[in-house]
Amino acid sequence: MLPVKQAEALILSLVNPLSPAQDTEVLDLLSASQRILAAAVTSALDFPHWDNSAMDGYAVRFADVQSCKAEQLATLEIVEEIPAGYQPQQTIQSGQAARILTGAMMPAGADTVVMQERTQRQGDRVTILEAPEFQAFVRQRAAFYQAGTTLLHPGIQLNAPEIAVLAAAQCAQVSVYRRPRVAILSTGSELVAPDQPLQPGQIVDSNQYALAALVQQLGAEPLLLGVIPDEPEALKSAIAQAITTADVVLSSGGVSVGDYDYVDEILATLGAEIHIRAVAIKPGKPLTVATFAAPQARSVLYFGLPGNPVSALVTFWRFVQPALRKLSGLAQGWEPTFIKARTQQDLRSDGKRESYLWGHLQLLDGDYEFRLAGGSHSSGNLINLVQTNALAMLPVGQTAIAAGTEIFVMQVD
């Protein structure tokens, strides 16, 4: 059995990310939301595009107002009014000013803005009541970004701020990585689909739907292959089909040591290289990780997850999710997020494997606290997993953690 961190490192080393040369598509901005940027973006525009005012007030020459004080105020002639979106027509000369609104373009000759609260206007004259700082309230052209330099780097997810920047830069289309394709199948003759009648001894297949939802949340494309009975030929045919159509294959069940657990044997007959057969994690010990050589440079990654529903989810969050993030083209941030929190209840495990207990993580008065889900923490109990968002981690060798103790908690929502 591999330790958890060693298994994580090995899995990530097996992932070859999507190729910027072969695995991209060009989308409009709305379609590109949540996708991974595949190529660096530059713009022909400076940000700001020109010197502009950060305040409603008056554009002036600093030399005219730098000595303003109570006994020696400066009174200037207003020669122009400049709203946002208007190109100034006048050059500000000595003794002159322009009325200017927030975001409006600075007129030639002016280098400073005096906020209107520090002025007094009478007709076409304005008196400056207090000397400003040099270049006060002026946003300088290219202060935020200089045209021709890299605006956005590849390998980032395009969320609302990035989409806004692309729109402002007039990048109407953008190159993104395609969605990774993930084939999902459930193994077991006892399984039935949710829309089928349940016979004595049968179990409804929840894993396929849960895994598909998780894959979609990560921006990948799930390919559902259904329930495969415990028949070697049927399972071999399904896996062979999966590895020809997907970047990653997820199966659940059939990876333990039972009489009907055929997955590892079938993987070997199909030419897979098996890298992991078990991990020292609870729940989720029976985990198979393999790779299939493919005609393209990138191999197909196979995860044989446990059949118990909670085990399948925990192993997905801990091992599959980081692999899919790396595969998708993300430049960094693949690993799970662990947060220090105080547990509100006593936590217990047998100490033989790194153990994960599910519950709810919340921020209270600036500190994170973890509340253990009630009920049985069995790998077959999906019910108390509902509305949880975190897994408390108990290290190997630690059998009990007292309430109030600081622990590491993995976020899963």
Side-chain angles (χ1 to χ4, degrees), residues 180-188 191 205-228 235 238-253 300-306 312-313 316 320 324:
R181 294 183 290 269
V182 182
I184 305 171
L185 57 100
S186 296
T187 71
L191 299 176
D205 173 30
S206 62
N207 286 352
Q208 188 158 192
Y209 297 89
L211 295 174
L214 290 170
V215 165
Q216 286 180 319
Q217 288 172 18
L218 291 170
E221 178 186 357
L223 309 173
L224 302 187
L225 301 185
V227 173
I228 312 302
L235 190 54
I239 294 175
Q241 175 190 350
I243 62 179
T244 62
T245 58
D247 304 294
V248 174
V249 180
L250 305 180
S251 69
S252 63
V300 176
L301 186 58
Y302 186 98
F303 289 92
L305 306 180
L313 289 173
F316 183 97
V320 180
L324 285 179

Side-chain angles (χ1 to χ4, degrees), residues 1 280-282 349-355 395-399:
M1 274 193 305
I281 187 172
K282 183 179 181 181
S349 77
D350 61 13
K352 296 178 182 179
R353 290 174 277 163
E354 187 169 298
S355 298
V396 175
Q398 192 157 10
T399 58

Side-chain angles (χ1 to χ4, degrees), residues 15-19 23-25 34-36 157 176-184 212 214-223 245-250 298 301 320-330:
V15 178
N16 294 315
L18 296 177
S19 165
D23 298 311
T24 63
E25 53 186 334
Q34 304 295 308
R35 301 293 289 272
I36 308 301
Q157 188 173 47
V176 298
Y177 288 105
R178 66 168 175 82
R179 298 183 188 276
R181 294 183 290 269
V182 182
I184 305 171
L214 290 170
V215 165
Q216 286 180 319
Q217 288 172 18
L218 291 170
E221 178 186 357
L223 309 173
T245 58
D247 304 294
V248 174
V249 180
L250 305 180
R298 186 179 53 262
L301 186 58
V320 180
Q321 184 166 275
L324 285 179
R325 283 174 172 162
K326 182 177 180 181
L327 174 67
S328 71
L330 272 177

Side-chain angles (χ1 to χ4, degrees), residues 61-117:
R61 293 161 56 98
F62 180 71
D64 288 341
V65 298
Q66 61 181 328
S67 301
C68 273
K69 47 190 174 182
E71 61 273 18
Q72 187 179 348
L73 302 180
T75 299
L76 307 173
E77 178 189 6
I78 302 170
V79 297
E80 188 172 22
E81 297 214 3
I82 310 172
Y86 172 80
Q87 184 174 352
Q89 303 297 307
Q90 303 291 327
T91 297
I92 303 303
Q93 307 292 338
S94 180
Q96 295 179 337
R99 170 67 171 155
I100 194 167
L101 299 180
T102 302
M105 187 176 183
M106 288 289 289
D111 54 19
T112 300
V113 171
V114 181
M115 61 189 300
Q116 63 185 22
E117 292 84 350

Side-chain angles (χ1 to χ4, degrees), residues 13-33:
S13 74
L14 298 173
V15 178
N16 294 315
L18 296 177
S19 165
Q22 299 176 342
D23 298 311
T24 63
E25 53 186 334
V26 176
L27 300 178
D28 62 62
L29 289 188
L30 291 180
S31 301
S33 179

